[in-house]
Coordinates of all heavy atoms in Angstrom, one line a residue:
M269 N 0.3 -39.4 63.1 CA 1.3 -38.9 62.1 C 2.6 -39.6 62.3 O 2.8 -40.2 63.3 CB 1.5 -37.4 62.3 CG 0.3 -36.5 61.9 SD 0.7 -35.8 60.4 CE -0.8 -36.0 59.5
T270 N 3.4 -39.5 61.3 CA 4.7 -40.1 61.4 C 5.8 -39.0 61.4 O 5.5 -37.9 60.8 CB 5.0 -41.2 60.3 OG1 4.8 -40.5 59.0 CG2 4.0 -42.3 60.4
L271 N 6.9 -39.4 61.8 CA 8.0 -38.4 61.9 C 8.8 -38.4 60.6 O 9.1 -39.4 60.0 CB 9.0 -38.8 63.0 CG 10.2 -37.8 63.3 CD1 9.6 -36.5 63.8 CD2 11.2 -38.5 64.3
N272 N 8.9 -37.2 60.0 CA 9.6 -37.0 58.7 C 10.7 -36.0 58.9 O 10.7 -35.2 59.8 CB 8.6 -36.5 57.6 CG 7.5 -37.6 57.3 OD1 7.8 -38.7 56.9 ND2 6.3 -37.2 57.6
F273 N 11.6 -36.0 57.9 CA 12.7 -35.0 57.9 C 12.8 -34.3 56.5 O 13.7 -34.5 55.8 CB 14.0 -35.8 58.2 CG 14.0 -36.5 59.5 CD1 13.6 -37.8 59.7 CD2 14.3 -35.7 60.7 CE1 13.6 -38.4 60.9 CE2 14.3 -36.4 61.9 CZ 13.9 -37.7 62.0
P274 N 11.8 -33.5 56.3 CA 11.8 -32.8 54.9 C 12.8 -31.7 54.8 O 13.2 -31.4 53.7 CB 10.4 -32.2 54.9 CG 10.0 -32.0 56.3 CD 10.6 -33.1 57.1
N275 N 13.3 -31.2 55.9 CA 14.3 -30.1 55.9 C 15.7 -30.8 56.2 O 15.9 -31.3 57.2 CB 14.0 -29.1 57.0 CG 14.9 -27.9 57.0 OD1 16.0 -27.9 56.3 ND2 14.5 -26.9 57.7
R276 N 16.6 -30.7 55.2 CA 17.9 -31.3 55.3 C 18.9 -30.4 56.1 O 20.1 -30.8 56.3 CB 18.5 -31.6 54.0 CG 17.6 -32.7 53.3 CD 18.2 -33.2 52.0 NE 19.6 -33.6 52.1 CZ 20.0 -34.9 52.4 NH1 19.1 -35.8 52.8 NH2 21.3 -35.2 52.4
S277 N 18.5 -29.3 56.6 CA 19.4 -28.4 57.3 C 19.8 -29.0 58.6 O 19.1 -29.8 59.2 CB 18.8 -27.0 57.5 OG 17.8 -27.1 58.4
R278 N 21.0 -28.7 59.1 CA 21.6 -29.1 60.3 C 22.6 -28.1 60.7 O 23.1 -27.4 59.9 CB 22.2 -30.5 60.3 CG 23.5 -30.7 59.5 CD 23.3 -30.6 58.0 NE 24.5 -30.9 57.3 CZ 25.4 -30.0 56.9 NH1 25.2 -28.7 57.2 NH2 26.4 -30.3 56.2
S279 N 22.9 -28.0 62.0 CA 23.9 -27.0 62.5 C 24.7 -27.6 63.6 O 24.2 -28.5 64.3 CB 23.2 -25.8 62.9 OG 22.3 -26.0 64.0
Y280 N 25.9 -27.2 63.8 CA 26.8 -27.6 64.8 C 26.8 -26.7 66.0 O 26.9 -25.5 65.9 CB 28.2 -27.7 64.3 CG 29.3 -28.1 65.3 CD1 29.1 -29.3 66.0 CD2 30.4 -27.3 65.5 CE1 30.1 -29.7 66.9 CE2 31.3 -27.7 66.5 CZ 31.1 -28.9 67.2 OH 32.1 -29.3 68.1
D281 N 26.6 -27.3 67.2 CA 26.6 -26.6 68.5 C 27.9 -26.9 69.1 O 28.1 -27.9 69.7 CB 25.4 -27.0 69.3 CG 25.4 -26.3 70.7 OD1 26.3 -25.7 71.1 OD2 24.3 -26.5 71.4
A282 N 28.9 -26.0 69.0 CA 30.2 -26.2 69.5 C 30.3 -26.3 71.0 O 31.0 -27.1 71.6 CB 31.2 -25.1 69.0
A283 N 29.5 -25.5 71.7 CA 29.5 -25.5 73.1 C 29.0 -26.9 73.7 O 29.6 -27.4 74.7 CB 28.6 -24.4 73.7
A284 N 28.0 -27.5 73.1 CA 27.5 -28.8 73.5 C 28.1 -30.0 72.8 O 27.8 -31.1 73.1 CB 26.0 -28.8 73.4
K285 N 28.9 -29.7 71.8 CA 29.5 -30.7 70.9 C 28.5 -31.7 70.4 O 28.5 -32.9 70.6 CB 30.6 -31.5 71.7 CG 31.8 -30.6 72.1 CD 32.9 -31.4 72.7 CE 34.0 -30.3 73.0 NZ 35.2 -31.0 73.4
R286 N 27.5 -31.1 69.7 CA 26.5 -31.9 69.1 C 25.9 -31.2 67.9 O 26.1 -30.0 67.7 CB 25.4 -32.3 70.1 CG 24.7 -31.1 70.7 CD 23.8 -31.4 71.8 NE 23.1 -30.3 72.3 CZ 22.4 -30.3 73.4 NH1 22.2 -31.4 74.1 NH2 21.7 -29.2 73.8
I287 N 25.2 -32.0 67.1 CA 24.6 -31.4 65.8 C 23.1 -31.4 66.0 O 22.5 -32.4 66.4 CB 25.0 -32.3 64.6 CG1 26.6 -32.1 64.4 CG2 24.3 -31.8 63.4 CD1 27.1 -33.0 63.3
R288 N 22.5 -30.3 65.6 CA 21.1 -30.1 65.7 C 20.5 -30.3 64.4 O 21.0 -29.9 63.4 CB 20.8 -28.7 66.2 CG 19.3 -28.4 66.4 CD 19.0 -26.9 66.7 NE 17.7 -26.8 67.2 CZ 16.6 -26.6 66.5 NH1 16.7 -26.7 65.2 NH2 15.4 -26.4 67.0
F289 N 19.4 -31.1 64.4 CA 18.5 -31.2 63.2 C 17.1 -31.3 63.6 O 16.8 -31.5 64.8 CB 19.0 -32.4 62.4 CG 18.8 -33.8 63.0 CD1 17.8 -34.6 62.6 CD2 19.7 -34.2 64.0 CE1 17.7 -35.9 63.3 CE2 19.6 -35.4 64.6 CZ 18.6 -36.3 64.2
V290 N 16.1 -31.2 62.7 CA 14.7 -31.1 63.0 C 13.9 -32.1 62.2 O 14.2 -32.3 61.1 CB 14.2 -29.7 62.7 CG1 12.8 -29.5 63.0 CG2 15.0 -28.6 63.5
G291 N 13.0 -32.7 63.0 CA 12.0 -33.6 62.4 C 10.7 -32.9 62.4 O 10.5 -32.0 63.2
H292 N 9.7 -33.5 61.7 CA 8.4 -32.9 61.7 C 7.3 -34.0 61.8 O 7.4 -35.1 61.1 CB 8.0 -32.1 60.4 CG 8.9 -30.9 60.3 ND1 8.4 -29.7 60.8 CD2 10.1 -30.7 59.8 CE1 9.4 -28.8 60.6 NE2 10.4 -29.3 60.0
D293 N 6.4 -33.8 62.8 CA 5.3 -34.8 63.0 C 4.1 -33.9 62.7 O 3.6 -33.2 63.5 CB 5.3 -35.3 64.4 CG 4.2 -36.4 64.6 OD1 3.4 -36.6 63.7 OD2 4.2 -36.9 65.7
G294 N 3.6 -34.0 61.5 CA 2.5 -33.1 61.0 C 3.0 -31.7 61.1 O 4.0 -31.4 60.5
M295 N 2.3 -30.9 61.8 CA 2.7 -29.5 61.8 C 3.6 -29.2 63.0 O 4.1 -28.1 63.2 CB 1.4 -28.6 62.0 CG 0.7 -28.7 63.2 SD -0.8 -27.7 63.2 CE -0.8 -27.2 64.9
F296 N 4.0 -30.2 63.8 CA 4.9 -30.0 64.9 C 6.3 -30.2 64.6 O 6.7 -31.2 64.0 CB 4.5 -31.0 66.1 CG 3.1 -30.7 66.6 CD1 2.1 -31.6 66.2 CD2 2.8 -29.6 67.4 CE1 0.8 -31.3 66.7 CE2 1.5 -29.4 67.9 CZ 0.5 -30.2 67.5
E297 N 7.2 -29.3 65.0 CA 8.6 -29.4 64.8 C 9.2 -30.1 66.0 O 8.9 -29.8 67.1 CB 9.2 -28.0 64.6 CG 10.6 -27.9 64.3 CD 11.1 -26.6 64.0 OE1 10.9 -26.1 62.9 OE2 11.7 -26.0 65.0
V298 N 10.1 -31.1 65.7 CA 10.6 -31.9 66.8 C 12.1 -31.7 66.7 O 12.8 -32.2 65.8 CB 10.2 -33.4 66.6 CG1 10.8 -34.2 67.8 CG2 8.8 -33.6 66.5
P299 N 12.8 -31.0 67.7 CA 14.2 -30.8 67.7 C 15.0 -32.1 68.2 O 14.6 -32.7 69.1 CB 14.4 -29.7 68.7 CG 13.3 -29.7 69.5 CD 12.1 -30.3 68.8
F300 N 16.0 -32.4 67.4 CA 16.9 -33.5 67.7 C 18.3 -33.0 67.8 O 18.7 -32.0 67.1 CB 16.9 -34.6 66.6 CG 15.6 -35.4 66.7 CD1 14.5 -35.0 65.9 CD2 15.5 -36.6 67.4 CE1 13.4 -35.8 65.9 CE2 14.4 -37.3 67.4 CZ 13.3 -36.9 66.7
F301 N 19.2 -33.7 68.6 CA 20.6 -33.4 68.7 C 21.3 -34.7 68.6 O 20.8 -35.7 69.2 CB 21.0 -32.7 70.0 CG 20.4 -31.3 70.1 CD1 19.1 -31.2 70.7 CD2 21.0 -30.2 69.7 CE1 18.5 -29.9 70.9 CE2 20.4 -28.9 69.8 CZ 19.2 -28.8 70.4
V302 N 22.4 -34.8 67.9 CA 23.2 -36.0 67.9 C 24.6 -35.6 68.5 O 25.2 -34.7 67.9 CB 23.2 -36.8 66.6 CG1 23.8 -35.9 65.5 CG2 24.0 -38.1 66.7
E303 N 25.0 -36.3 69.5 CA 26.3 -36.0 70.1 C 27.4 -36.4 69.1 O 27.3 -37.4 68.4 CB 26.5 -36.7 71.4 CG 25.6 -36.3 72.5 CD 25.8 -37.0 73.8 OE1 26.5 -38.1 73.8 OE2 25.4 -36.5 74.8
I304 N 28.5 -35.6 69.0 CA 29.6 -35.8 68.2 C 30.2 -37.2 68.4 O 30.5 -37.9 67.5 CB 30.7 -34.7 68.3 CG1 30.2 -33.4 67.8 CG2 32.0 -35.1 67.6 CD1 29.6 -33.4 66.4
A305 N 30.2 -37.6 69.7 CA 30.8 -38.9 70.0 C 30.0 -40.1 69.4 O 30.5 -41.2 69.3 CB 30.8 -39.1 71.5
A306 N 28.7 -39.8 69.0 CA 27.9 -40.8 68.4 C 28.2 -41.0 67.0 O 27.8 -42.1 66.4 CB 26.4 -40.5 68.6
L307 N 28.9 -40.1 66.3 CA 29.2 -40.2 64.9 C 30.4 -41.2 64.8 O 31.1 -41.5 65.8 CB 29.6 -38.9 64.4 CG 28.6 -37.8 64.3 CD1 29.1 -36.5 63.8 CD2 27.4 -38.2 63.5
S308 N 30.5 -41.8 63.7 CA 31.6 -42.7 63.4 C 32.9 -42.2 63.9 O 33.3 -41.0 63.5 CB 31.7 -43.1 62.0 OG 32.8 -43.8 61.7
A309 N 33.7 -42.9 64.7 CA 35.0 -42.4 65.3 C 36.0 -42.1 64.2 O 36.8 -41.2 64.3 CB 35.6 -43.5 66.2
A310 N 35.9 -42.7 63.1 CA 36.8 -42.5 62.0 C 36.6 -41.1 61.3 O 37.5 -40.6 60.6 CB 36.8 -43.5 60.9
T311 N 35.4 -40.6 61.4 CA 35.1 -39.3 60.8 C 35.3 -38.1 61.6 O 35.4 -37.0 61.0 CB 33.6 -39.3 60.3 OG1 32.8 -39.4 61.5 CG2 33.3 -40.4 59.4
A312 N 35.4 -38.2 62.9 CA 35.6 -37.0 63.7 C 37.0 -37.0 64.3 O 37.2 -37.3 65.5 CB 34.5 -37.1 64.8
T313 N 37.9 -36.6 63.5 CA 39.3 -36.6 64.0 C 39.9 -35.2 64.3 O 40.7 -35.0 65.2 CB 40.2 -37.3 63.0 OG1 40.1 -36.7 61.8 CG2 39.8 -38.8 62.9
S314 N 39.6 -34.2 63.5 CA 40.2 -32.9 63.6 C 39.4 -31.9 64.5 O 40.0 -30.9 64.9 CB 40.4 -32.3 62.2 OG 39.1 -31.8 61.8
G315 N 38.2 -32.2 64.8 CA 37.4 -31.3 65.6 C 36.9 -30.1 64.8 O 36.4 -29.2 65.4
A316 N 36.9 -30.2 63.5 CA 36.4 -29.1 62.6 C 34.9 -29.2 62.4 O 34.4 -30.3 62.2 CB 37.2 -29.1 61.3
E317 N 34.3 -28.1 62.4 CA 32.8 -28.1 62.2 C 32.4 -28.7 60.9 O 31.5 -29.6 60.8 CB 32.3 -26.7 62.3 CG 30.8 -26.5 62.0 CD 30.3 -25.1 62.1 OE1 31.0 -24.3 62.6 OE2 29.2 -24.9 61.7
A318 N 33.2 -28.4 59.8 CA 32.8 -28.9 58.5 C 32.9 -30.5 58.5 O 32.2 -31.2 57.8 CB 33.7 -28.3 57.5
E319 N 33.9 -31.0 59.2 CA 34.1 -32.4 59.3 C 33.0 -33.1 60.0 O 32.4 -34.1 59.6 CB 35.4 -32.7 60.0 CG 35.8 -34.2 59.9 CD 37.1 -34.4 60.5 OE1 38.2 -33.9 60.0 OE2 37.2 -35.2 61.6
Y320 N 32.5 -32.5 61.1 CA 31.4 -33.1 61.8 C 30.1 -33.0 61.0 O 29.3 -34.0 61.0 CB 31.1 -32.3 63.1 CG 32.2 -32.4 64.1 CD1 32.5 -31.3 65.0 CD2 33.0 -33.6 64.3 CE1 33.5 -31.4 65.9 CE2 34.0 -33.7 65.2 CZ 34.3 -32.6 66.1 OH 35.2 -32.7 67.0
L321 N 29.8 -32.0 60.3 CA 28.6 -31.9 59.5 C 28.7 -32.8 58.3 O 27.7 -33.5 57.9 CB 28.5 -30.4 58.9 CG 28.2 -29.4 60.0 CD1 28.2 -28.0 59.5 CD2 26.8 -29.7 60.8
S322 N 29.9 -33.0 57.8 CA 30.1 -34.0 56.7 C 29.8 -35.4 57.2 O 29.2 -36.2 56.6 CB 31.4 -33.9 56.1 OG 31.7 -34.8 55.1
A323 N 30.3 -35.7 58.4 CA 30.1 -37.0 59.0 C 28.6 -37.2 59.2 O 28.0 -38.3 59.0 CB 30.8 -37.1 60.3
F324 N 27.9 -36.2 59.7 CA 26.5 -36.3 59.9 C 25.8 -36.6 58.6 O 24.9 -37.5 58.5 CB 25.9 -35.0 60.5 CG 24.4 -35.0 60.7 CD1 23.8 -35.4 61.8 CD2 23.6 -34.5 59.6 CE1 22.4 -35.4 62.0 CE2 22.2 -34.5 59.7 CZ 21.6 -34.9 60.9
D325 N 26.1 -35.8 57.5 CA 25.5 -36.1 56.2 C 25.7 -37.5 55.7 O 24.9 -38.1 55.1 CB 26.1 -35.1 55.2 CG 25.6 -33.7 55.5 OD1 24.6 -33.5 56.2 OD2 26.3 -32.7 55.0
A326 N 26.9 -38.0 55.9 CA 27.2 -39.4 55.5 C 26.4 -40.5 56.2 O 26.1 -41.5 55.7 CB 28.7 -39.7 55.7
E327 N 26.0 -40.2 57.5 CA 25.3 -41.1 58.3 C 23.8 -40.7 58.5 O 23.1 -41.2 59.3 CB 26.0 -41.2 59.7 CG 27.4 -41.8 59.5 CD 28.1 -41.8 60.9 OE1 27.4 -42.1 61.9 OE2 29.3 -41.6 60.9
R328 N 23.4 -39.7 57.7 CA 22.1 -39.2 57.9 C 21.0 -40.2 57.9 O 20.1 -40.2 58.9 CB 21.7 -38.2 56.8 CG 20.4 -37.4 56.9 CD 20.1 -36.5 55.8 NE 21.1 -35.4 55.7 CZ 20.9 -34.2 56.3 NH1 19.8 -34.0 57.0 NH2 21.8 -33.3 56.1
S329 N 21.0 -41.2 57.1 CA 19.9 -42.1 57.0 C 19.8 -42.9 58.3 O 18.7 -43.1 58.9 CB 20.1 -43.1 55.8 OG 19.1 -44.0 55.8
S330 N 20.9 -43.4 58.8 CA 20.9 -44.2 60.1 C 20.6 -43.3 61.3 O 19.9 -43.7 62.2 CB 22.2 -45.0 60.3 OG 23.3 -44.1 60.5
I331 N 21.0 -42.0 61.2 CA 20.7 -41.1 62.3 C 19.2 -40.8 62.4 O 18.6 -40.8 63.4 CB 21.5 -39.8 62.2 CG1 23.0 -40.0 62.4 CG2 21.0 -38.7 63.1 CD1 23.9 -38.9 62.0
Q332 N 18.6 -40.7 61.2 CA 17.1 -40.4 61.2 C 16.4 -41.6 61.6 O 15.3 -41.6 62.3 CB 16.7 -40.0 59.8 CG 17.2 -38.6 59.5 CD 16.9 -38.2 58.0 OE1 16.6 -39.0 57.2 NE2 17.0 -36.9 57.8
D333 N 16.9 -42.8 61.3 CA 16.2 -44.1 61.8 C 16.3 -44.2 63.3 O 15.3 -44.5 63.9 CB 16.9 -45.3 61.2 CG 16.6 -45.5 59.7 OD1 15.7 -44.9 59.2 OD2 17.4 -46.3 59.1
V334 N 17.4 -43.8 63.9 CA 17.5 -43.8 65.3 C 16.6 -42.8 65.9 O 16.0 -43.0 67.0 CB 19.0 -43.6 65.7 CG1 19.2 -43.4 67.3 CG2 19.9 -44.9 65.3
A335 N 16.5 -41.6 65.3 CA 15.7 -40.5 65.8 C 14.2 -41.0 65.8 O 13.5 -40.7 66.7 CB 15.9 -39.3 64.9
R336 N 13.8 -41.7 64.7 CA 12.4 -42.1 64.6 C 12.2 -43.2 65.8 O 11.1 -43.1 66.4 CB 12.2 -42.8 63.3 CG 11.9 -41.9 62.2 CD 11.5 -42.6 60.9 NE 11.5 -41.7 59.8 CZ 12.6 -41.5 58.9 NH1 13.7 -42.2 59.1 NH2 12.5 -40.7 58.0
E337 N 13.1 -44.0 66.0 CA 13.0 -45.0 67.1 C 12.8 -44.3 68.5 O 12.0 -44.6 69.3 CB 14.2 -45.9 67.1 CG 14.1 -47.0 68.2 CD 13.0 -48.0 68.2 OE1 12.5 -48.2 67.1 OE2 12.6 -48.5 69.2
A338 N 13.7 -43.3 68.7 CA 13.7 -42.5 70.0 C 12.3 -41.8 70.1 O 11.7 -41.8 71.2 CB 14.8 -41.5 70.1
Y339 N 11.8 -41.3 69.0 CA 10.6 -40.5 69.0 C 9.4 -41.5 69.3 O 8.4 -41.1 69.9 CB 10.4 -39.8 67.7 CG 9.2 -38.9 67.6 CD1 9.1 -37.7 68.3 CD2 8.1 -39.3 66.8 CE1 8.0 -36.9 68.2 CE2 6.9 -38.5 66.7 CZ 6.9 -37.3 67.4 OH 5.8 -36.5 67.4
S340 N 9.5 -42.7 68.8 CA 8.4 -43.7 69.0 C 8.2 -44.1 70.5 O 7.1 -44.6 70.8 CB 8.6 -44.9 68.2 OG 9.6 -45.7 68.7
H341 N 9.1 -43.7 71.3 CA 9.0 -44.1 72.7 C 8.3 -43.0 73.6 O 8.3 -43.1 74.8 CB 10.4 -44.4 73.3 CG 11.0 -45.6 72.7 ND1 10.5 -46.9 72.9 CD2 12.1 -45.8 71.9 CE1 11.2 -47.8 72.2 NE2 12.2 -47.1 71.6
G342 N 7.8 -42.0 72.9 CA 7.1 -41.0 73.6 C 7.5 -39.6 73.3 O 8.7 -39.4 73.0
C343 N 6.7 -38.6 73.4 CA 6.9 -37.2 73.1 C 7.7 -36.6 74.2 O 7.4 -36.7 75.4 CB 5.6 -36.5 72.8 SG 4.9 -36.8 71.2
R344 N 8.7 -35.8 73.7 CA 9.5 -35.0 74.6 C 9.7 -33.6 73.9 O 9.5 -33.5 72.8 CB 10.9 -35.6 74.9 CG 10.8 -36.8 75.8 CD 12.2 -37.4 76.1 NE 12.5 -38.4 75.1 CZ 13.7 -39.0 75.0 NH1 14.7 -38.6 75.8 NH2 13.9 -39.9 74.1
N345 N 10.3 -32.6 74.7 CA 10.5 -31.3 74.1 C 11.7 -31.4 73.1 O 11.7 -30.6 72.2 CB 10.8 -30.3 75.2 CG 9.6 -30.0 76.0 OD1 8.5 -30.2 75.5 ND2 9.7 -29.6 77.2
M346 N 12.7 -32.3 73.3 CA 13.8 -32.4 72.5 C 14.4 -33.8 72.7 O 14.2 -34.4 73.8 CB 14.9 -31.3 72.7 CG 15.5 -31.4 74.0 SD 16.9 -30.2 74.0 CE 18.0 -31.0 75.1
Y347 N 15.2 -34.3 71.8 CA 15.8 -35.6 71.9 C 17.3 -35.4 71.6 O 17.7 -34.8 70.7 CB 15.3 -36.5 70.8 CG 13.8 -36.8 71.0 CD1 12.8 -35.9 70.5 CD2 13.3 -37.9 71.6 CE1 11.4 -36.1 70.7 CE2 12.0 -38.2 71.8 CZ 11.1 -37.3 71.3 OH 9.7 -37.5 71.5
V348 N 18.1 -36.0 72.5 CA 19.5 -36.0 72.4 C 20.0 -37.4 72.1 O 19.8 -38.3 73.0 CB 20.3 -35.5 73.6 CG1 21.8 -35.5 73.4 CG2 19.8 -34.0 73.9
L349 N 20.5 -37.7 70.9 CA 20.9 -39.1 70.6 C 22.4 -39.2 71.0 O 23.2 -38.4 70.6 CB 20.8 -39.3 69.1 CG 19.3 -39.0 68.5 CD1 19.3 -39.2 67.0 CD2 18.3 -39.8 69.2
T350 N 22.7 -40.3 71.7 CA 24.0 -40.6 72.1 C 24.5 -41.9 71.5 O 23.8 -42.6 70.8 CB 24.1 -40.8 73.7 OG1 23.3 -41.9 74.0 CG2 23.5 -39.5 74.4
R351 N 25.8 -42.2 71.7 CA 26.4 -43.4 71.2 C 25.5 -44.6 71.5 O 25.4 -45.5 70.7 CB 27.8 -43.5 71.7 CG 28.5 -44.7 71.0 CD 29.9 -44.7 71.6 NE 30.7 -43.5 71.2 CZ 31.9 -43.3 71.4 NH1 32.6 -44.2 72.1 NH2 32.5 -42.2 71.0
A352 N 25.0 -44.7 72.7 CA 24.2 -45.8 73.2 C 23.0 -46.0 72.3 O 22.5 -47.1 72.2 CB 23.8 -45.6 74.6
D353 N 22.4 -45.0 71.7 CA 21.2 -45.1 70.9 C 21.5 -45.8 69.6 O 20.6 -46.2 68.9 CB 20.7 -43.7 70.6 CG 20.1 -43.1 71.8 OD1 19.3 -43.7 72.6 OD2 20.5 -41.9 72.1
F354 N 22.8 -45.9 69.2 CA 23.2 -46.4 67.9 C 23.6 -47.9 67.9 O 24.2 -48.4 67.0 CB 24.3 -45.5 67.2 CG 23.8 -44.2 66.8 CD1 23.7 -43.2 67.7 CD2 23.3 -44.1 65.5 CE1 23.2 -42.0 67.3 CE2 22.8 -42.8 65.1 CZ 22.7 -41.8 66.0
R355 N 23.3 -48.6 69.0 CA 23.7 -50.0 69.2 C 22.7 -50.9 68.6 O 21.6 -50.6 68.4 CB 24.0 -50.3 70.6 CG 25.2 -49.6 71.1 CD 25.4 -50.0 72.6 NE 26.4 -49.1 73.1 CZ 26.9 -49.1 74.3 NH1 26.3 -49.9 75.1 NH2 27.8 -48.3 74.6

């Protein structure tokens, strides 16, 4: 199976400073997190949840591409994408 992102929902985890989103590999749900620091520096200035979610939405396609790449390296319980993953 391949990793897909049919559900566009995402949520902000303020304590961990990251955004959670979910991929699906067949019937399996695969949780992903992207650190706020990995989002474009120009988009994350005020620290507001709405701003972070908007930045995620603007970069969704590239974030999902990075998530697919991370997933292709082996199954884990969850994936945390950092700035280093976006190079």
Side-chain angles (χ1 to χ4, degrees):
M269 289 258 137
T270 59
L271 186 65
N272 294 301
F273 299 93
N275 184 346
R276 294 187 52 85
S277 67
R278 73 284 185 269
S279 60
Y280 176 57
D281 178 348
K285 296 189 178 189
R286 58 191 185 187
I287 295 175
R288 181 184 195 278
F289 64 106
V290 176
H292 293 272
D293 184 355
M295 63 183 220
F296 298 103
E297 188 174 276
V298 183
F300 287 91
F301 297 89
V302 61
E303 293 181 345
I304 294 304
L307 298 175
S308 172
T311 60
T313 56
S314 74
E317 177 178 348
E319 187 175 300
Y320 293 147
L321 293 174
S322 180
F324 177 90
D325 291 341
E327 299 178 32
R328 183 183 296 269
S329 180
S330 64
I331 291 168
Q332 289 175 344
D333 289 343
V334 170
R336 283 185 189 95
E337 178 66 24
Y339 185 73
S340 73
H341 295 294
C343 284
R344 290 186 264 172
N345 290 336
M346 68 175 208
Y347 296 82
V348 178
L349 306 177
T350 67
R351 187 179 296 183
D353 295 309
F354 289 86
R355 294 181 187 177

